[in-house]
Amino acid sequence: MKVYGDTNSGNCLKVKWVCDHLALPYTWIAVDTLKGETRTAEFLKLNGAGQVPTIELDDGRTLAQSNAIIRYLARGSRLIPQDAFAAGKMDEWLFWEQYSHEPYIAVCRFQMFYLGKPISDLDPDKVKRGYAALARMEHQLAITPFLVGDAVTLADISLLAYTRVAHEGGFHLDGYAAVRRWIGATEKFLGLPPAR
C-alpha cells in the first residue's frame, strides 16, 4: 500500500499513526501541498479532488478522506468498538471532527504556522468556533477518559491530530485540563513524543 501524504497535515498524520499502530505495511509518498503537488495531472488521476491523504492499495484502487481511510484500515481492530452503539458514537465524533473542529482549529493553525499571519488577523468567528469545539471535547473528556469511553478509538486518533497542535493556531489550552490529560494519554498510547 502507498500512502500519499504531507507530514505537516494532521489529516495525513492520522493515517500514518493508524498504520504504525496496527503495524500495517506501507510506503509513504511525500506530497508537498504548499508546492501544488496535489494539483499535478499524475496526482489528480489518484484523487480527482486533489487532496491528501490518499492511499493506493496493491491492486491499484484508491481511497481518500482521512477518516474514511482510517476507518477502512482499522476494520476488525480494537480501534473500532465491537459494540454497534459505541461504534456509532465513534463515527459521530469522526463526522463532527471534520465539520466542527478541523475547519476552525486546523485552518487557524495553517494561517498562523504556515502563512505567518499574526493572531490578530485570524477570523474571530473561526477562533470562537475553535474554542467551542475545545469546550465540547472538554465536557466529554471530563466524563470519560477517551471520547467514546475507557479505550482509545479512531475518534481519539482523529481528533488528536489538530488538537495537540492547537496552540500553533493561537488556541490556549490552559483552561482545558481534561483535553490536556487526554492529549498526553493518547500520545502515549500511540507512542508519540509530546507535541511542542
Side-chain angles (χ1 to χ4, degrees), residues 78-93:
R78 64 186 181 135
L79 296 177
I80 299 175
Q82 289 189 343
D83 176 76
F85 184 76
K89 294 302 282 185
M90 180 196 76
D91 286 337
E92 180 182 305
W93 282 108

Side-chain angles (χ1 to χ4, degrees), residues 33-184:
T33 57
L34 294 177
K35 291 183 179 175
E37 292 179 359
T38 59
R39 299 297 173 191
T40 65
E42 184 180 359
F43 187 83
L44 290 170
K45 288 178 186 175
L46 296 170
N47 179 346
Q51 297 173 325
V52 287
T54 297
I55 64 168
E56 183 179 8
L57 303 177
D58 292 341
D59 63 10
R61 291 180 298 164
T62 60
L63 187 62
Q65 295 300 318
S66 60
N67 289 341
I69 293 169
I70 63 175
R71 207 164 188 322
Y72 170 78
L73 295 174
R75 67 199 185 284
S77 80
R78 64 186 181 135
L79 296 177
I80 299 175
Q82 289 189 343
D83 176 76
F85 184 76
K89 294 302 282 185
M90 180 196 76
D91 286 337
E92 180 182 305
W93 282 108
L94 290 176
F95 289 118
W96 178 84
E97 184 264 347
Q98 285 290 288
Y99 187 78
S100 300
H101 183 284
E102 193 266 358
Y104 309 113
I105 292 179
V107 168
C108 288
R109 174 183 179 251
F110 179 81
Q111 291 178 350
M112 286 185 68
F113 197 73
Y114 295 102
L115 301 184
K117 285 188 176 184
I119 195 167
S120 58
D121 283 359
L122 296 178
D123 178 344
D125 186 60
K126 286 193 183 340
V127 174
K128 178 182 173 185
R129 288 173 181 250
Y131 276 116
L134 292 170
R136 178 158 191 254
M137 292 176 68
E138 179 73 13
H139 175 78
Q140 180 62 47
L141 293 167
I143 300 168
T144 55
F146 298 100
L147 291 168
V148 186
D150 294 332
V152 172
T153 69
L154 292 178
D156 301 289
I157 295 171
S158 180
L159 277 149
L160 179 68
Y162 286 112
T163 306
R164 75 194 290 254
V165 291
H167 60 282
E168 294 176 355
F171 294 95
H172 302 286
L173 299 181
D174 297 346
Y176 301 88
V179 169
R180 290 195 322 274
R181 174 204 50 79
W182 164 84
I183 289 171

